[in-house]
Coordinates of all heavy atoms in Angstrom, one line a residue:
L77 N -9.7 2.6 -14.3 CA -8.8 3.2 -13.4 C -7.7 2.3 -13.0 O -7.8 1.1 -12.9 CB -9.6 3.6 -12.1 CG -10.7 4.6 -12.3 CD1 -11.5 4.7 -10.9 CD2 -10.2 6.0 -12.7
L78 N -6.5 2.9 -12.7 CA -5.4 2.2 -12.1 C -5.3 2.6 -10.7 O -5.2 3.8 -10.4 CB -4.1 2.6 -12.8 CG -2.8 2.1 -12.2 CD1 -2.8 0.6 -12.2 CD2 -1.6 2.7 -12.8
I79 N -5.4 1.7 -9.8 CA -5.4 1.9 -8.4 C -4.1 1.3 -7.8 O -3.9 0.1 -8.0 CB -6.6 1.4 -7.6 CG1 -7.9 2.2 -8.2 CG2 -6.5 1.7 -6.1 CD1 -9.2 1.7 -7.5
E80 N -3.3 2.1 -7.2 CA -2.0 1.6 -6.7 C -1.6 2.4 -5.4 O -2.2 3.4 -5.1 CB -0.9 1.7 -7.7 CG -0.6 3.1 -8.2 CD 0.4 3.1 -9.4 OE1 0.7 2.0 -9.9 OE2 0.8 4.2 -9.7
S81 N -0.6 1.9 -4.7 CA -0.2 2.6 -3.5 C 0.5 3.9 -3.9 O 1.2 4.0 -4.9 CB 0.8 1.7 -2.8 OG 0.3 0.5 -2.3
F82 N 0.3 4.9 -3.0 CA 0.9 6.2 -3.3 C 2.4 6.1 -3.2 O 3.0 5.5 -2.3 CB 0.4 7.2 -2.2 CG 1.1 8.5 -2.4 CD1 0.7 9.4 -3.3 CD2 2.1 8.9 -1.5 CE1 1.3 10.7 -3.5 CE2 2.8 10.1 -1.6 CZ 2.4 11.0 -2.6
D83 N 3.1 6.7 -4.2 CA 4.5 6.7 -4.2 C 4.9 8.1 -4.5 O 4.7 8.6 -5.6 CB 5.0 5.7 -5.3 CG 6.5 5.6 -5.4 OD1 7.2 6.5 -4.9 OD2 7.0 4.6 -6.0
K86 N 6.5 9.2 -7.9 CA 5.8 9.3 -9.2 C 4.4 9.9 -9.1 O 3.8 10.2 -10.1 CB 5.7 7.9 -9.9 CG 5.0 6.9 -9.1 CD 4.9 5.6 -9.9 CE 4.2 4.5 -9.2 NZ 4.1 3.2 -10.0
H87 N 3.9 10.1 -7.9 CA 2.6 10.7 -7.7 C 2.8 12.1 -7.0 O 3.7 12.3 -6.2 CB 1.7 9.8 -6.8 CG 1.5 8.4 -7.3 ND1 1.6 7.3 -6.5 CD2 1.3 8.0 -8.6 CE1 1.4 6.2 -7.3 NE2 1.2 6.6 -8.5
S88 N 1.8 13.0 -7.3 CA 1.9 14.3 -6.8 C 1.4 14.4 -5.4 O 0.2 14.3 -5.1 CB 1.1 15.3 -7.7 OG 1.0 16.6 -7.1
T91 N -1.1 17.3 -5.1 CA -2.5 17.0 -5.5 C -3.2 16.3 -4.3 O -4.3 16.5 -4.0 CB -2.5 16.1 -6.7 OG1 -1.9 16.8 -7.8 CG2 -3.9 15.7 -7.1
L92 N -2.4 15.4 -3.7 CA -3.0 14.6 -2.5 C -3.4 15.6 -1.4 O -4.5 15.5 -0.9 CB -1.9 13.7 -2.0 CG -2.4 12.4 -1.4 CD1 -3.1 11.5 -2.4 CD2 -1.2 11.6 -0.8
L95 N -6.5 17.7 -2.4 CA -7.7 16.9 -2.3 C -8.1 16.7 -0.9 O -9.3 16.6 -0.5 CB -7.5 15.5 -3.0 CG -7.5 15.5 -4.5 CD1 -7.1 14.1 -5.0 CD2 -8.8 16.0 -5.1
T96 N -7.2 16.5 0.0 CA -7.4 16.3 1.4 C -8.1 17.5 2.0 O -9.1 17.4 2.7 CB -6.1 16.1 2.2 OG1 -5.4 14.9 1.7 CG2 -6.3 16.0 3.7
I124 N -2.8 14.0 6.4 CA -2.3 13.3 5.2 C -0.8 13.0 5.3 O -0.3 12.0 4.8 CB -2.7 14.1 3.9 CG1 -2.4 13.3 2.7 CG2 -1.9 15.4 3.8 CD1 -3.2 12.0 2.6
S127 N -0.4 10.0 7.2 CA -0.9 8.8 6.4 C 0.1 8.4 5.4 O 0.4 7.2 5.3 CB -2.2 9.2 5.7 OG -3.3 9.5 6.6
V128 N 0.7 9.3 4.7 CA 1.7 9.0 3.7 C 3.0 8.4 4.3 O 3.5 7.4 3.7 CB 2.1 10.3 2.9 CG1 3.3 10.1 2.0 CG2 0.9 10.7 2.0
K130 N 3.1 6.7 6.9 CA 2.6 5.4 7.6 C 2.6 5.5 9.1 O 2.6 4.5 9.8 CB 3.5 4.2 7.1 CG 3.5 4.0 5.6 CD 2.2 3.7 5.0 CE 2.2 3.6 3.5 NZ 3.0 2.4 3.1
A133 N -1.5 5.6 9.1 CA -2.2 4.7 8.1 C -1.4 3.5 7.7 O -0.1 3.5 7.8 CB -2.5 5.5 6.8
I134 N -2.1 2.4 7.4 CA -1.4 1.2 6.9 C -1.0 1.4 5.5 O 0.1 1.1 5.0 CB -2.4 0.0 7.0 CG1 -2.7 -0.3 8.4 CG2 -1.8 -1.2 6.3 CD1 -3.8 -1.4 8.6
E135 N -1.9 2.1 4.7 CA -1.6 2.3 3.3 C -2.5 3.4 2.8 O -3.5 3.8 3.3 CB -2.0 1.0 2.5 CG -1.5 1.0 1.1 CD 0.0 1.1 1.0 OE1 0.8 0.1 1.1 OE2 0.5 2.3 0.8
V136 N -1.9 4.1 1.7 CA -2.6 5.1 1.0 C -2.7 4.7 -0.5 O -1.7 4.4 -1.1 CB -1.9 6.5 1.1 CG1 -2.7 7.5 0.3 CG2 -1.8 6.9 2.5
F137 N -3.9 4.6 -1.0 CA -4.1 4.2 -2.4 C -4.6 5.4 -3.2 O -5.4 6.2 -2.8 CB -5.1 3.0 -2.6 CG -4.6 1.7 -1.9 CD1 -5.1 1.3 -0.7 CD2 -3.7 0.9 -2.6 CE1 -4.7 0.1 -0.1 CE2 -3.2 -0.2 -2.0 CZ -3.7 -0.7 -0.8
V138 N -4.0 5.5 -4.5 CA -4.5 6.5 -5.4 C -5.1 5.9 -6.6 O -4.8 4.8 -7.0 CB -3.3 7.4 -5.8 CG1 -2.7 8.2 -4.6 CG2 -2.2 6.6 -6.5
A139 N -6.1 6.7 -7.2 CA -6.8 6.2 -8.4 C -6.2 7.1 -9.5 O -6.3 8.4 -9.4 CB -8.3 6.4 -8.2
L140 N -5.8 6.5 -10.6 CA -5.2 7.2 -11.7 C -5.9 6.9 -13.0 O -6.4 5.7 -13.2 CB -3.7 6.8 -11.9 CG -2.8 7.0 -10.6 CD1 -1.5 6.2 -10.8 CD2 -2.5 8.5 -10.4
E144 N -3.2 10.7 -14.5 CA -3.7 11.8 -13.7 C -4.3 11.3 -12.4 O -5.1 10.3 -12.4 CB -4.8 12.5 -14.4 CG -5.4 13.7 -13.7 CD -6.5 14.4 -14.4 OE1 -6.9 13.9 -15.5 OE2 -7.1 15.4 -13.9
L145 N -3.9 11.9 -11.2 CA -4.4 11.4 -9.9 C -5.8 12.0 -9.7 O -6.0 13.2 -9.6 CB -3.4 11.9 -8.9 CG -3.5 11.2 -7.5 CD1 -2.2 11.4 -6.7 CD2 -4.7 11.6 -6.7
L146 N -6.8 11.1 -9.7 CA -8.2 11.5 -9.6 C -8.7 11.5 -8.1 O -9.7 12.1 -7.8 CB -9.1 10.7 -10.5 CG -8.7 10.7 -12.0 CD1 -9.7 9.8 -12.7 CD2 -8.7 12.1 -12.5
G147 N -8.1 10.7 -7.3 CA -8.6 10.5 -5.9 C -7.7 9.6 -5.1 O -6.8 9.0 -5.7
F148 N -8.0 9.5 -3.8 CA -7.2 8.6 -3.0 C -8.0 8.2 -1.8 O -9.1 8.7 -1.5 CB -5.9 9.4 -2.5 CG -6.2 10.4 -1.4 CD1 -6.1 10.0 -0.1 CD2 -6.6 11.7 -1.7 CE1 -6.3 10.9 1.0 CE2 -6.8 12.6 -0.7 CZ -6.7 12.2 0.7
I149 N -7.5 7.2 -1.1 CA -8.1 6.6 0.1 C -7.1 6.1 1.0 O -6.0 5.7 0.6 CB -9.1 5.5 -0.3 CG1 -10.0 5.1 0.9 CG2 -8.3 4.2 -0.8 CD1 -11.1 4.1 0.5
T150 N -7.3 6.3 2.4 CA -6.4 5.8 3.3 C -7.0 4.7 4.2 O -8.2 4.7 4.4 CB -5.9 6.9 4.3 OG1 -6.9 7.3 5.1 CG2 -5.4 8.1 3.5
L151 N -6.2 3.7 4.6 CA -6.6 2.6 5.4 C -5.8 2.6 6.7 O -4.6 2.7 6.7 CB -6.4 1.3 4.7 CG -6.8 0.0 5.4 CD1 -8.3 -0.1 5.5 CD2 -6.2 -1.2 4.8
T152 N -6.6 2.5 7.8 CA -6.0 2.5 9.1 C -6.5 1.3 9.9 O -7.5 0.7 9.5 CB -6.2 3.8 10.0 OG1 -7.6 3.9 10.2 CG2 -5.8 5.0 9.2
A159 N -10.8 -2.7 10.3 CA -10.1 -1.7 9.5 C -10.9 -0.4 9.4 O -12.1 -0.5 9.5 CB -9.8 -2.2 8.1
D160 N -10.3 0.7 9.1 CA -11.0 2.0 9.1 C -10.5 2.8 7.9 O -9.3 2.8 7.6 CB -10.6 2.8 10.4 CG -11.2 4.2 10.4 OD1 -12.4 4.3 10.6 OD2 -10.5 5.1 10.1
I161 N -11.5 3.3 7.2 CA -11.2 4.3 6.1 C -11.0 5.6 6.7 O -12.0 6.2 7.3 CB -12.3 4.3 5.0 CG1 -12.4 2.9 4.3 CG2 -12.1 5.4 4.0 CD1 -13.6 2.8 3.4
G162 N -9.8 6.2 6.7 CA -9.5 7.4 7.3 C -9.9 8.6 6.5 O -10.7 9.5 6.8
L163 N -9.3 8.7 5.3 CA -9.6 9.8 4.3 C -10.0 9.2 3.0 O -9.5 8.2 2.6 CB -8.3 10.6 4.1 CG -7.9 11.6 5.3 CD1 -6.5 12.1 5.1 CD2 -8.9 12.7 5.4
L164 N -10.9 9.9 2.3 CA -11.3 9.5 1.0 C -11.7 10.8 0.3 O -12.5 11.6 0.8 CB -12.6 8.6 1.0 CG -13.3 8.3 -0.3 CD1 -12.3 7.6 -1.3 CD2 -14.5 7.5 -0.1
A165 N -11.0 11.0 -0.9 CA -11.3 12.3 -1.6 C -11.2 12.0 -3.1 O -10.3 11.2 -3.5 CB -10.3 13.4 -1.2
V166 N -12.0 12.7 -3.8 CA -12.0 12.6 -5.3 C -12.0 14.0 -5.9 O -12.7 14.9 -5.4 CB -13.2 11.8 -5.8 CG1 -13.3 11.8 -7.3 CG2 -13.2 10.4 -5.3
V175 N -15.1 6.7 -9.1 CA -13.7 6.7 -8.6 C -13.8 6.4 -7.1 O -13.0 5.5 -6.6 CB -13.1 8.1 -8.8 CG1 -11.7 8.2 -8.1 CG2 -12.9 8.5 -10.2
A176 N -14.7 7.0 -6.4 CA -14.8 6.7 -4.9 C -15.1 5.3 -4.6 O -14.5 4.6 -3.8 CB -15.8 7.7 -4.3
S177 N -16.2 4.8 -5.3 CA -16.6 3.4 -5.1 C -15.5 2.4 -5.5 O -15.3 1.4 -4.8 CB -17.9 3.1 -5.9 OG -17.7 3.3 -7.3
S178 N -14.7 2.7 -6.5 CA -13.6 1.9 -7.0 C -12.5 1.8 -5.9 O -11.9 0.8 -5.6 CB -13.0 2.3 -8.3 OG -14.0 2.3 -9.3
L179 N -12.2 3.0 -5.3 CA -11.2 3.1 -4.2 C -11.7 2.3 -3.0 O -10.9 1.5 -2.4 CB -11.0 4.5 -3.9 CG -10.1 5.3 -4.8 CD1 -10.2 6.8 -4.5 CD2 -8.6 4.9 -4.7
I180 N -13.0 2.4 -2.7 CA -13.5 1.7 -1.5 C -13.4 0.2 -1.8 O -13.0 -0.6 -0.9 CB -14.9 2.1 -1.2 CG1 -15.0 3.5 -0.7 CG2 -15.6 1.2 -0.2 CD1 -16.4 4.1 -0.6
E181 N -13.8 -0.3 -2.9 CA -13.8 -1.7 -3.2 C -12.4 -2.3 -3.2 O -12.1 -3.4 -2.7 CB -14.5 -2.1 -4.5 CG -15.9 -1.8 -4.6 CD -16.7 -2.4 -3.4 OE1 -16.5 -3.6 -3.2 OE2 -17.5 -1.7 -2.8
H182 N -11.4 -1.4 -3.7 CA -10.0 -1.9 -3.7 C -9.5 -2.0 -2.3 O -8.9 -3.0 -1.9 CB -9.2 -0.8 -4.4 CG -7.7 -1.2 -4.5 ND1 -7.2 -2.0 -5.6 CD2 -6.7 -0.9 -3.7 CE1 -5.9 -2.2 -5.4 NE2 -5.6 -1.6 -4.3
V183 N -9.8 -1.0 -1.4 CA -9.3 -1.1 0.0 C -10.0 -2.1 0.8 O -9.4 -2.7 1.7 CB -9.5 0.3 0.6 CG1 -10.8 0.6 1.2 CG2 -8.4 0.6 1.6
K184 N -11.3 -2.5 0.4 CA -11.9 -3.6 1.1 C -11.2 -4.9 0.8 O -11.0 -5.7 1.7 CB -13.4 -3.6 0.7 CG -14.3 -2.6 1.4 CD -15.6 -2.3 0.6 CE -16.5 -3.5 0.4 NZ -17.7 -3.2 -0.3
G185 N -10.9 -5.1 -0.5 CA -10.2 -6.3 -0.9 C -8.8 -6.4 -0.2 O -8.4 -7.4 0.3
Y186 N -8.1 -5.2 -0.2 CA -6.8 -5.2 0.5 C -6.9 -5.5 1.9 O -6.1 -6.4 2.5 CB -6.1 -3.8 0.3 CG -4.8 -3.7 0.8 CD1 -3.6 -4.1 0.1 CD2 -4.6 -3.2 2.1 CE1 -2.4 -3.9 0.7 CE2 -3.3 -3.0 2.7 CZ -2.2 -3.4 1.9 OH -1.0 -3.3 2.5
A187 N -7.8 -4.9 2.6 CA -8.0 -5.1 4.0 C -8.3 -6.6 4.3 O -7.8 -7.2 5.3 CB -9.1 -4.2 4.6
S188 N -9.2 -7.2 3.5 CA -9.6 -8.6 3.7 C -8.4 -9.5 3.5 O -8.1 -10.4 4.3 CB -10.7 -9.0 2.8 OG -11.0 -10.3 2.9
N189 N -7.5 -9.2 2.5 CA -6.4 -10.0 2.2 C -5.3 -10.0 3.3 O -4.5 -10.9 3.4 CB -5.7 -9.6 0.9 CG -6.6 -9.9 -0.3 OD1 -7.4 -10.9 -0.2 ND2 -6.4 -9.2 -1.4
I190 N -5.3 -8.9 4.1 CA -4.3 -8.8 5.2 C -4.8 -9.2 6.5 O -4.2 -9.0 7.6 CB -3.5 -7.5 5.2 CG1 -4.5 -6.3 5.5 CG2 -2.8 -7.2 3.9 CD1 -3.9 -5.0 5.7
F192 N -8.1 -8.5 8.0 CA -9.3 -7.8 8.6 C -10.6 -8.4 8.2 O -10.7 -8.9 7.0 CB -9.3 -6.3 8.2 CG -8.2 -5.5 8.8 CD1 -7.1 -5.1 8.0 CD2 -8.2 -5.1 10.2 CE1 -6.1 -4.4 8.6 CE2 -7.1 -4.4 10.7 CZ -6.1 -4.0 9.9
M195 N -15.0 -3.6 8.8 CA -14.5 -2.2 8.4 C -15.5 -1.2 8.8 O -16.7 -1.4 8.9 CB -14.3 -2.2 6.8 CG -13.8 -0.9 6.3 SD -13.4 -1.0 4.5 CE -11.8 -1.9 4.6

Side-chain angles (χ1 to χ4, degrees):
L77 298 173
L78 171 63
I79 297 179
E80 60 186 11
S81 298
F82 175 79
D83 184 341
K86 61 178 182 177
H87 303 136
S88 169
T91 299
L92 210 65
L95 289 175
T96 299
I124 191 59
S127 297
V128 167
K130 306 297 177 65
I134 297 172
E135 193 58 87
V136 179
F137 293 103
V138 294
L140 307 164
E144 179 183 4
L145 199 160
L146 302 181
F148 77 93
I149 193 169
T150 70
L151 179 70
T152 63
D160 175 79
I161 295 174
L163 287 166
L164 171 62
V166 174
V175 177
S177 59
S178 299
L179 284 164
I180 293 171
E181 295 308 313
H182 183 87
V183 85
K184 281 159 62 176
Y186 180 86
S188 180
N189 288 338
I190 61 174
F192 291 105
M195 182 171 283

